[in-house]
PDB file of all heavy atoms in Angstrom:
ATOM      1  N   ALA M 285      18.482 -11.369 -13.553  1.00 96.00           N
ATOM      2  CA  ALA M 285      18.618 -11.511 -12.128  1.00 96.00           C
ATOM      3  C   ALA M 285      19.678 -10.569 -11.622  1.00 96.00           C
ATOM      4  O   ALA M 285      19.853 -10.396 -10.391  1.00 96.00           O
ATOM      5  CB  ALA M 285      19.095 -12.972 -11.789  1.00 96.00           C
ATOM      6  N   THR M 286      20.412  -9.909 -12.525  1.00 97.00           N
ATOM      7  CA  THR M 286      21.439  -8.954 -12.102  1.00 97.00           C
ATOM      8  C   THR M 286      21.238  -7.607 -12.895  1.00 97.00           C
ATOM      9  O   THR M 286      20.561  -7.614 -13.998  1.00 97.00           O
ATOM     10  CB  THR M 286      22.849  -9.499 -12.368  1.00 97.00           C
ATOM     11  OG1 THR M 286      23.060  -9.469 -13.797  1.00 97.00           O
ATOM     12  CG2 THR M 286      23.067 -10.856 -11.875  1.00 97.00           C
ATOM     13  N   GLY M 287      21.940  -6.618 -12.430  1.00 97.00           N
ATOM     14  CA  GLY M 287      21.760  -5.331 -13.098  1.00 97.00           C
ATOM     15  C   GLY M 287      22.300  -5.356 -14.508  1.00 97.00           C
ATOM     16  O   GLY M 287      21.735  -4.815 -15.456  1.00 97.00           O
ATOM     17  N   ASP M 288      23.447  -6.081 -14.674  1.00 98.00           N
ATOM     18  CA  ASP M 288      24.074  -6.193 -16.034  1.00 98.00           C
ATOM     19  C   ASP M 288      23.061  -6.917 -17.022  1.00 98.00           C
ATOM     20  O   ASP M 288      22.902  -6.567 -18.138  1.00 98.00           O
ATOM     21  CB  ASP M 288      25.337  -6.934 -15.962  1.00 98.00           C
ATOM     22  CG  ASP M 288      26.454  -6.101 -15.341  1.00 98.00           C
ATOM     23  OD1 ASP M 288      26.281  -4.809 -15.257  1.00 98.00           O
ATOM     24  OD2 ASP M 288      27.529  -6.693 -14.912  1.00 98.00           O
ATOM     25  N   GLU M 289      22.439  -7.986 -16.523  1.00 98.00           N
ATOM     26  CA  GLU M 289      21.484  -8.726 -17.295  1.00 98.00           C
ATOM     27  C   GLU M 289      20.278  -7.836 -17.652  1.00 98.00           C
ATOM     28  O   GLU M 289      19.693  -7.932 -18.765  1.00 98.00           O
ATOM     29  CB  GLU M 289      21.019  -9.957 -16.551  1.00 98.00           C
ATOM     30  CG  GLU M 289      22.157 -11.031 -16.494  1.00 98.00           C
ATOM     31  CD  GLU M 289      21.721 -12.274 -15.700  1.00 98.00           C
ATOM     32  OE1 GLU M 289      20.586 -12.330 -15.249  1.00 98.00           O
ATOM     33  OE2 GLU M 289      22.533 -13.262 -15.590  1.00 98.00           O
ATOM     34  N   LEU M 290      19.818  -7.049 -16.704  1.00 98.00           N
ATOM     35  CA  LEU M 290      18.705  -6.142 -16.907  1.00 98.00           C
ATOM     36  C   LEU M 290      19.023  -5.122 -17.987  1.00 98.00           C
ATOM     37  O   LEU M 290      18.181  -4.800 -18.827  1.00 98.00           O
ATOM     38  CB  LEU M 290      18.283  -5.444 -15.572  1.00 98.00           C
ATOM     39  CG  LEU M 290      17.080  -4.511 -15.657  1.00 98.00           C
ATOM     40  CD1 LEU M 290      15.866  -5.251 -16.192  1.00 98.00           C
ATOM     41  CD2 LEU M 290      16.869  -3.898 -14.220  1.00 98.00           C
ATOM     42  N   ILE M 291      20.278  -4.554 -17.889  1.00 98.00           N
ATOM     43  CA  ILE M 291      20.647  -3.525 -18.874  1.00 98.00           C
ATOM     44  C   ILE M 291      20.718  -4.167 -20.265  1.00 98.00           C
ATOM     45  O   ILE M 291      20.319  -3.621 -21.249  1.00 98.00           O
ATOM     46  CB  ILE M 291      22.021  -2.880 -18.422  1.00 98.00           C
ATOM     47  CG1 ILE M 291      21.786  -2.003 -17.214  1.00 98.00           C
ATOM     48  CG2 ILE M 291      22.608  -2.066 -19.617  1.00 98.00           C
ATOM     49  CD1 ILE M 291      23.075  -1.531 -16.603  1.00 98.00           C
ATOM     50  N   ALA M 292      21.312  -5.330 -20.293  1.00 98.00           N
ATOM     51  CA  ALA M 292      21.441  -6.018 -21.692  1.00 98.00           C
ATOM     52  C   ALA M 292      20.070  -6.333 -22.225  1.00 98.00           C
ATOM     53  O   ALA M 292      19.823  -6.166 -23.451  1.00 98.00           O
ATOM     54  CB  ALA M 292      22.253  -7.344 -21.475  1.00 98.00           C
ATOM     55  N   ALA M 293      19.197  -6.809 -21.307  1.00 98.00           N
ATOM     56  CA  ALA M 293      17.784  -7.098 -21.780  1.00 98.00           C
ATOM     57  C   ALA M 293      17.050  -5.862 -22.291  1.00 98.00           C
ATOM     58  O   ALA M 293      16.374  -5.885 -23.292  1.00 98.00           O
ATOM     59  CB  ALA M 293      16.986  -7.721 -20.696  1.00 98.00           C
ATOM     60  N   ALA M 294      17.303  -4.736 -21.541  1.00 98.00           N
ATOM     61  CA  ALA M 294      16.648  -3.459 -21.905  1.00 98.00           C
ATOM     62  C   ALA M 294      17.125  -3.069 -23.360  1.00 98.00           C
ATOM     63  O   ALA M 294      16.295  -2.673 -24.164  1.00 98.00           O
ATOM     64  CB  ALA M 294      17.004  -2.358 -20.961  1.00 98.00           C
ATOM     65  N   GLY M 295      18.370  -3.278 -23.702  1.00 98.00           N
ATOM     66  CA  GLY M 295      18.853  -2.955 -25.038  1.00 98.00           C
ATOM     67  C   GLY M 295      18.213  -3.736 -26.081  1.00 98.00           C
ATOM     68  O   GLY M 295      17.849  -3.213 -27.183  1.00 98.00           O
ATOM     69  N   LYS M 296      18.082  -5.075 -25.845  1.00 98.00           N
ATOM     70  CA  LYS M 296      17.500  -5.955 -26.811  1.00 98.00           C
ATOM     71  C   LYS M 296      15.950  -5.605 -26.959  1.00 98.00           C
ATOM     72  O   LYS M 296      15.460  -5.639 -28.146  1.00 98.00           O
ATOM     73  CB  LYS M 296      17.658  -7.396 -26.382  1.00 98.00           C
ATOM     74  CG  LYS M 296      19.057  -7.901 -26.442  1.00 98.00           C
ATOM     75  CD  LYS M 296      19.200  -9.348 -25.994  1.00 98.00           C
ATOM     76  CE  LYS M 296      20.639  -9.849 -26.068  1.00 98.00           C
ATOM     77  NZ  LYS M 296      20.800 -11.263 -25.575  1.00 98.00           N
ATOM     78  N   LEU M 297      15.290  -5.355 -25.923  1.00 98.00           N
ATOM     79  CA  LEU M 297      13.878  -4.956 -25.983  1.00 98.00           C
ATOM     80  C   LEU M 297      13.664  -3.704 -26.758  1.00 98.00           C
ATOM     81  O   LEU M 297      12.780  -3.583 -27.618  1.00 98.00           O
ATOM     82  CB  LEU M 297      13.325  -4.827 -24.589  1.00 98.00           C
ATOM     83  CG  LEU M 297      13.073  -6.193 -23.809  1.00 98.00           C
ATOM     84  CD1 LEU M 297      12.968  -5.921 -22.296  1.00 98.00           C
ATOM     85  CD2 LEU M 297      11.870  -6.967 -24.336  1.00 98.00           C
ATOM     86  N   ARG M 298      14.502  -2.733 -26.541  1.00 98.00           N
ATOM     87  CA  ARG M 298      14.391  -1.474 -27.223  1.00 98.00           C
ATOM     88  C   ARG M 298      14.558  -1.628 -28.769  1.00 98.00           C
ATOM     89  O   ARG M 298      13.914  -0.986 -29.529  1.00 98.00           O
ATOM     90  CB  ARG M 298      15.351  -0.457 -26.648  1.00 98.00           C
ATOM     91  CG  ARG M 298      14.932   0.103 -25.321  1.00 98.00           C
ATOM     92  CD  ARG M 298      15.845   1.203 -24.778  1.00 98.00           C
ATOM     93  NE  ARG M 298      15.317   1.822 -23.595  1.00 98.00           N
ATOM     94  CZ  ARG M 298      14.435   2.813 -23.607  1.00 98.00           C
ATOM     95  NH1 ARG M 298      14.017   3.247 -24.760  1.00 98.00           N
ATOM     96  NH2 ARG M 298      13.968   3.328 -22.498  1.00 98.00           N
ATOM     97  N   ARG M 299      15.483  -2.500 -29.112  1.00 98.00           N
ATOM     98  CA  ARG M 299      15.720  -2.740 -30.519  1.00 98.00           C
ATOM     99  C   ARG M 299      14.532  -3.357 -31.243  1.00 98.00           C
ATOM    100  O   ARG M 299      14.397  -3.314 -32.480  1.00 98.00           O
ATOM    101  CB  ARG M 299      16.980  -3.624 -30.763  1.00 98.00           C
ATOM    102  CG  ARG M 299      18.302  -2.832 -30.525  1.00 98.00           C
ATOM    103  CD  ARG M 299      19.479  -3.563 -31.006  1.00 98.00           C
ATOM    104  NE  ARG M 299      19.900  -4.666 -30.097  1.00 98.00           N
ATOM    105  CZ  ARG M 299      20.586  -4.444 -28.947  1.00 98.00           C
ATOM    106  NH1 ARG M 299      21.051  -3.300 -28.639  1.00 98.00           N
ATOM    107  NH2 ARG M 299      20.923  -5.490 -28.131  1.00 98.00           N
ATOM    108  N   LYS M 300      13.637  -3.973 -30.404  1.00 98.00           N
ATOM    109  CA  LYS M 300      12.435  -4.555 -30.950  1.00 98.00           C
ATOM    110  C   LYS M 300      11.228  -3.556 -30.785  1.00 98.00           C
ATOM    111  O   LYS M 300      10.043  -3.894 -31.020  1.00 98.00           O
ATOM    112  CB  LYS M 300      12.036  -5.898 -30.235  1.00 98.00           C
ATOM    113  CG  LYS M 300      13.061  -6.994 -30.568  1.00 98.00           C
ATOM    114  CD  LYS M 300      12.848  -7.456 -32.049  1.00 98.00           C
ATOM    115  CE  LYS M 300      13.708  -8.605 -32.321  1.00 98.00           C
ATOM    116  NZ  LYS M 300      13.555  -9.095 -33.760  1.00 98.00           N
ATOM    117  N   GLY M 301      11.488  -2.367 -30.294  1.00 98.00           N
ATOM    118  CA  GLY M 301      10.456  -1.371 -30.095  1.00 98.00           C
ATOM    119  C   GLY M 301       9.599  -1.639 -28.922  1.00 98.00           C
ATOM    120  O   GLY M 301       8.466  -1.131 -28.719  1.00 98.00           O
ATOM    121  N   ILE M 302      10.154  -2.398 -27.920  1.00 98.00           N
ATOM    122  CA  ILE M 302       9.381  -2.684 -26.728  1.00 98.00           C
ATOM    123  C   ILE M 302       9.999  -1.995 -25.508  1.00 98.00           C
ATOM    124  O   ILE M 302      11.230  -1.940 -25.330  1.00 98.00           O
ATOM    125  CB  ILE M 302       9.471  -4.229 -26.397  1.00 98.00           C
ATOM    126  CG1 ILE M 302       8.927  -5.017 -27.535  1.00 98.00           C
ATOM    127  CG2 ILE M 302       8.766  -4.577 -25.030  1.00 98.00           C
ATOM    128  CD1 ILE M 302       9.289  -6.570 -27.476  1.00 98.00           C
ATOM    129  N   ALA M 303       9.195  -1.320 -24.707  1.00 98.00           N
ATOM    130  CA  ALA M 303       9.697  -0.584 -23.559  1.00 98.00           C
ATOM    131  C   ALA M 303      10.095  -1.605 -22.482  1.00 98.00           C
ATOM    132  O   ALA M 303       9.407  -2.585 -22.342  1.00 98.00           O
ATOM    133  CB  ALA M 303       8.575   0.310 -22.991  1.00 98.00           C
ATOM    134  N   PRO M 304      11.267  -1.450 -21.881  1.00 98.00           N
ATOM    135  CA  PRO M 304      11.732  -2.450 -20.872  1.00 98.00           C
ATOM    136  C   PRO M 304      10.847  -2.433 -19.585  1.00 98.00           C
ATOM    137  O   PRO M 304       9.840  -3.051 -19.550  1.00 98.00           O
ATOM    138  CB  PRO M 304      13.153  -2.017 -20.607  1.00 98.00           C
ATOM    139  CG  PRO M 304      13.579  -1.198 -21.806  1.00 98.00           C
ATOM    140  CD  PRO M 304      12.349  -0.510 -22.253  1.00 98.00           C
ATOM    141  N   VAL M 305      11.257  -1.630 -18.610  1.00 98.00           N
ATOM    142  CA  VAL M 305      10.525  -1.518 -17.374  1.00 98.00           C
ATOM    143  C   VAL M 305       9.616  -0.342 -17.354  1.00 98.00           C
ATOM    144  O   VAL M 305      10.091   0.863 -17.479  1.00 98.00           O
ATOM    145  CB  VAL M 305      11.439  -1.425 -16.136  1.00 98.00           C
ATOM    146  CG1 VAL M 305      10.614  -1.314 -14.865  1.00 98.00           C
ATOM    147  CG2 VAL M 305      12.359  -2.637 -16.095  1.00 98.00           C
TER     148      VAL M 305
END
Side-chain angles (χ1 to χ4, degrees):
T286 69
D288 288 343
E289 291 177 358
L290 180 58
I291 290 171
K296 292 179 179 179
L297 287 163
R298 284 184 173 278
R299 285 192 284 278
K300 291 291 184 180
I302 302 167
V305 178

